[in-house]
Amino acid sequence: MFVENLERGFYHSIKDDRCLLLVNFDVDAICACRILQQLFKNDNMIYTLIPVQGIQDMIRAFNEHCEEIKNVILINCGGTLDLVELLQPAESVIFYILDSHRPYDLCNIYSEDQVRILGKADEDDEIPEYNEVFRDDSSDEDDIDEGSESEESQRKRRRLNEEDIIKRAERRKWAENRATILFNYTQYSYYGKSSAMLVFEMAWNMSKDNLDMVWWAIVGSTEQAILAKVESRLTVLDEGALHSHVSRLTHKQGGDVDKEQQQQQSTVRITYDKDLSLALYRHWTVEASLRHSVPTAVSLRLWSVRGEQRLKELLAEMGLPLIQSKQRFSAMDLSLRQEFRQMIEKLAGKYKVDSVIGTSFTLQYGYRFKYCASDIVYAMLAVIESSSKEKLPQRCFLDALDCLSRTKKDILESGIEKAKFMLSSIFKTAQGILQMKQIRSAGPFLYIIIPEGSADNYVFAHPHPLLMLAQFTLKAYVDSSKNRRASEWPLVASSISNPESGTCLMVGVPPVREDQPRSLFGKAFEQAAKNTNCNIEADYFDATIIRLKTEERPKFLDALAALLA
């Protein structure tokens, strides 16, 4: 069931018991977790935090702690699964779901006792009515002793048989109708409102919010925009709401503000202003940032020789000397730094890079700590996906959590360096794919396979970099293709996940023309695996990401093409 009043239906209900906090490996989930941690700390609440990468992690974590826990909070995980069926909890356990993945499992939605979904149902969710998918069939046939049947009993039995035939026909019709409704409800995977935004709004309603919390909500919402999880209309609405919260918290004065908050306001500044959507440009060189930002790389077609010339022309026309454009932005001449945005704005129309002009939130703390929200998102994504044999994923999760702390600047700076390498690998790999024309058509969709043994292959053994590569490559292909239908095609990207076990990672992204990014790959992957008896590992909470044996990949892609044709 849905809990719309989060303060009464969630926060006050968990206050007196230890909570188990299961958090998915994504930026929005980590930001929501950070806001909750702050609230728990302020109210001296006890909790156990466990990062979970997939469904098996979630089952393991629950089984290890289920005996001592009554309340389980799931952040960006569990909403699309039938939790009671999967985890078999004791009747006293209550699950609180804070999940931006859609569609929700109907058993969670209609659970009366054990499952509570935080927030309200979205209008776009089109949740079926209870009676359309659930039915209580109780037989009302009387027990009749066949040995001593009178004429009346026989008439009654015939009447019951006729009624039974009618009921069976009705049941069959209802079952067919149910299958159609369930298919329509579950066929697309998509995302809803940012979980960090939802938790922040709860803190605001309880009058326990502060500037740090609104900043974490900003970072969570920005991740959804960067990874194209939600339509641009929702991003604009969220930005407007967050801007009003920033203004309110910044200008809050008078007797209702305690000393700690006044001190915080004097040191922390969040500004919302015109800015450029260029990746990490304040921490990189101008040339590198223009090269590795998707809007400029696609508009200038930087994977080609002509694109390289256009980039040099743009820098020259901006009046930015080559030596300055190859220096770190913070080391450039002050006058050039101050005029940089106006230089780009002046030439945006000519070079078709209008999409980089926008607005962004920037956090300033002291004199040297100044980051915009997208800087933090890129850093956190790179840190989350930096696990290796020497560094466990859980360690990476905690480092990403530390990127949100103002006192752990070294971890954030290290994350920014990792993000530069990740973006460089994405661009370099996409450039190779586009130049060698390695984007293949399977009929109803396009696909790319990153060749085994390439230098940056290990980067794409993780979901987020592979997803970003797929989105970039698809946009570049659509922009440079002469085929009018190119914008209607989705894309599947695959790379080696674990060479030792012979597995590969596969992600699917929706077509670029769809502003509302709904992907049909979640259900399609599942069905294609059934059709080919492929043993796919659909362990991620996002159904459009799977693992499978590399040797089974060709027949799996053939089955997928046949299914979607």
Side-chain angles (χ1 to χ4, degrees):
M1 67 176 180
F2 286 99
V3 175
E4 293 191 20
N5 186 329
L6 267 57
E7 182 181 359
R8 194 171 64 240
F10 163 59
Y11 199 74
H12 287 172
S13 306
I14 62 169
K15 228 172 175 181
D16 303 322
D17 298 299
R18 186 190 195 95
C19 297
L20 177 62
L21 210 55
L22 302 179
V23 186
N24 186 20
F25 276 64
D26 73 51
V27 174
D28 179 40
I30 292 171
C31 292
C33 168
R34 191 71 191 83
I35 298 170
L36 269 182
Q37 281 182 306
Q38 185 72 57
L39 290 169
F40 290 172
K41 184 183 170 186
N42 294 347
D43 290 324
N44 297 317
M45 289 164 65
I46 304 167
Y47 65 93
T48 301
L49 166 63
I50 300 181
V52 290
Q53 244 184 328
I55 297 165
Q56 294 309 313
D57 271 2
M58 182 180 79
I59 295 169
R60 206 176 301 116
F62 176 75
N63 289 339
E64 282 172 13
H65 295 85
C66 59
E67 288 176 14
E68 60 209 48
I69 294 288
K70 275 168 97 177
N71 299 314
V72 183
I73 304 164
L74 300 108
I75 305 183
N76 282 2
C77 58
T80 59
L81 307 163
D82 182 351
L83 287 175
V84 175
E85 178 71 26
L86 184 71
L87 300 174
Q88 301 288 315
E91 285 185 14
S92 57
V93 174
I94 297 175
F95 297 104
Y96 294 94
I97 296 174
L98 182 65
D99 195 353
S100 60
H101 294 100
R102 302 285 189 277
Y104 290 127
D105 187 274
L106 291 171
C107 293
N108 293 338
I109 291 173
Y110 289 114
S111 167
E112 288 294 319
D113 309 309
Q114 286 193 275
V115 183
R116 296 171 193 186
I117 300 171
L118 306 186
K120 54 185 179 185
D122 300 334
E123 287 174 18
D124 300 337
D125 287 352
E126 296 174 0
I127 297 165
E129 293 295 322
Y130 179 86
N131 294 331
E132 291 176 331
V133 285
F134 298 103
R135 176 173 175 148
D136 298 321
D137 274 330
S138 54
S139 175
D140 54 359
E141 289 185 39
D142 295 338
D143 289 330
I144 301 164
D145 183 1
E146 289 185 30
S148 58
E149 277 192 80
S150 62
E151 273 185 50
E152 194 181 337
S153 299
Q154 286 172 353
R155 273 201 305 276
K156 195 172 184 182
R157 176 173 286 285
R158 277 198 295 274
R159 192 173 69 250
L160 285 172
N161 283 345
E162 284 165 13
E163 283 174 10
D164 198 37
I165 290 165
I166 294 165
K167 274 183 186 173
R168 270 189 216 153
E170 280 175 3
R171 267 203 300 271
R172 202 178 304 116
K173 192 179 176 184
W174 179 85
E176 285 168 6
N177 192 40
R178 177 181 187 270
T180 307
I181 288 166
L182 284 178
F183 174 77
N184 291 336
Y185 177 66
T186 59
Q187 68 174 321
Y188 291 109
S189 307
Y190 58 104
Y191 284 84
K193 189 184 178 81
S194 151
S195 296
M197 277 283 289
L198 213 60
V199 183
F200 171 74
E201 284 168 1
M202 178 186 79
W204 166 51
N205 287 327
M206 296 193 298
S207 303
K208 291 182 178 182
D209 57 330
N210 58 32
L211 278 172
D212 278 334
M213 287 183 189
V214 77
W215 176 249
W216 299 328
I218 287 165
V219 173
S221 177
T222 304
E223 183 236 21
Q224 287 201 320
I226 286 174
L227 295 180
K229 287 183 175 181
V230 291
E231 56 186 303
S232 48
R233 175 182 63 87
L234 292 176
T235 305
V236 171
L237 289 172
D238 280 353
E239 267 192 21
L242 288 163
H243 181 215
S244 64
H245 284 301
V246 168
S247 301
R248 174 180 58 80
L249 288 163
T250 305
H251 298 117
K252 207 174 181 187
Q253 288 169 350
D256 60 330
V257 181
D258 59 25
K259 271 186 182 176
E260 190 187 335
Q261 209 161 344
Q262 281 179 333
Q263 197 177 1
Q264 188 199 39
Q265 285 174 11
S266 63
T267 53
V268 179
R269 272 186 69 223
I270 298 173
T271 51
Y272 179 68
D273 212 344
K274 277 187 175 181
D275 202 358
L276 298 169
S277 306
L278 294 175
L280 305 170
Y281 78 88
R282 288 184 180 86
H283 313 277
W284 218 347
T285 68
V286 165
E287 189 201 32
S289 183
L290 285 165
R291 186 186 305 282
H292 298 111
S293 299
V294 174
T296 46
V298 170
S299 298
L300 299 172
R301 299 187 185 177
L302 293 178
W303 57 87
S304 63
V305 176
R306 177 75 189 105
E308 282 291 323
Q309 288 172 340
R310 280 173 67 79
L311 177 60
K312 284 176 184 159
E313 284 168 22
L314 170 63
L315 292 168
E317 218 170 318
M318 280 165 62
L320 198 63
L322 212 56
I323 195 161
Q324 291 280 342
S325 72
K326 291 190 173 185
Q327 269 186 2
R328 198 179 165 104
F329 184 79
S330 55
M332 276 168 50
D333 288 352
L334 181 63
S335 58
L336 292 172
R337 285 208 312 268
Q338 288 171 336
E339 291 167 18
F340 178 59
R341 184 168 55 79
Q342 286 91 325
M343 290 174 180
I344 296 263
E345 281 177 354
K346 212 177 283 179
L347 297 166
K350 182 178 178 181
Y351 287 89
K352 296 178 182 171
V353 291
D354 308 71
S355 54
V356 300
I357 297 158
T359 47
S360 83
F361 290 94
T362 306
L363 174 74
Q364 187 155 5
Y365 175 62
Y367 293 105
R368 296 183 64 81
F369 191 104
K370 185 176 182 180
Y371 298 92
C372 78
S374 61
D375 297 340
I376 311 279
V377 171
Y378 284 121
M380 287 175 73
L381 284 171
V383 169
I384 289 168
E385 303 294 33
S386 63
S387 62
S388 61
K389 285 178 184 173
E390 296 78 41
K391 195 173 183 185
L392 290 172
Q394 287 76 10
R395 179 68 258 167
C396 297
F397 178 94
L398 295 173
D399 283 349
L401 192 59
D402 283 341
C403 284
L404 294 171
S405 168
R406 286 181 273 116
T407 56
K408 306 272 177 72
K409 194 182 171 198
D410 53 334
I411 292 175
L412 179 56
E413 285 295 336
S414 161
I416 285 174
E417 293 308 311
K418 285 188 175 89
K420 289 180 191 175
F421 179 74
M422 179 181 77
L423 292 171
S424 302
S425 299
I426 289 168
F427 175 76
K428 213 183 335 174
T429 307
Q431 186 178 29
I433 287 166
L434 293 157
Q435 284 178 345
M436 305 292 287
K437 294 188 165 42
Q438 288 174 333
I439 300 177
R440 301 183 181 100
S441 172
F445 64 90
L446 304 166
Y447 69 94
I448 54 171
I449 293 172
I450 296 164
E452 200 172 341
S454 58
D456 298 336
N457 224 29
Y458 67 94
V459 174
F460 302 107
H462 301 284
H464 285 115
L466 186 61
L467 190 70
M468 290 162 82
L469 172 72
Q471 289 173 342
F472 176 24
T473 311
L474 183 58
K475 280 178 184 166
Y477 176 82
V478 170
D479 187 78
S480 56
S481 174
K482 289 175 182 168
N483 192 323
R484 286 184 183 175
R485 290 191 57 214
S487 62
E488 297 171 18
W489 289 325
L491 180 134
V492 171
S494 180
S495 70
I496 296 300
S497 164
N498 187 338
E500 290 159 20
S501 61
T503 54
C504 65
L505 184 67
M506 193 176 277
V507 303
V509 294
V512 294
R513 73 164 192 178
E514 287 190 20
D515 186 43
Q516 195 174 26
R518 293 180 173 232
S519 177
L520 48 74
F521 282 119
K523 272 286 168 204
F525 284 163
E526 193 184 303
Q527 192 57 49
K530 270 185 198 166
N531 295 352
T532 52
N533 289 326
C534 282
N535 187 20
I536 64 165
E537 200 183 313
D539 192 45
Y540 292 98
F541 297 109
D542 186 333
T544 60
I545 305 168
I546 58 163
R547 280 198 168 91
L548 74 158
K549 287 283 181 192
T550 310
E551 68 210 33
E552 292 186 325
R553 183 165 58 189
K555 72 169 180 177
F556 181 81
L557 286 169
D558 288 344
L560 194 61
L563 183 70
L564 298 176

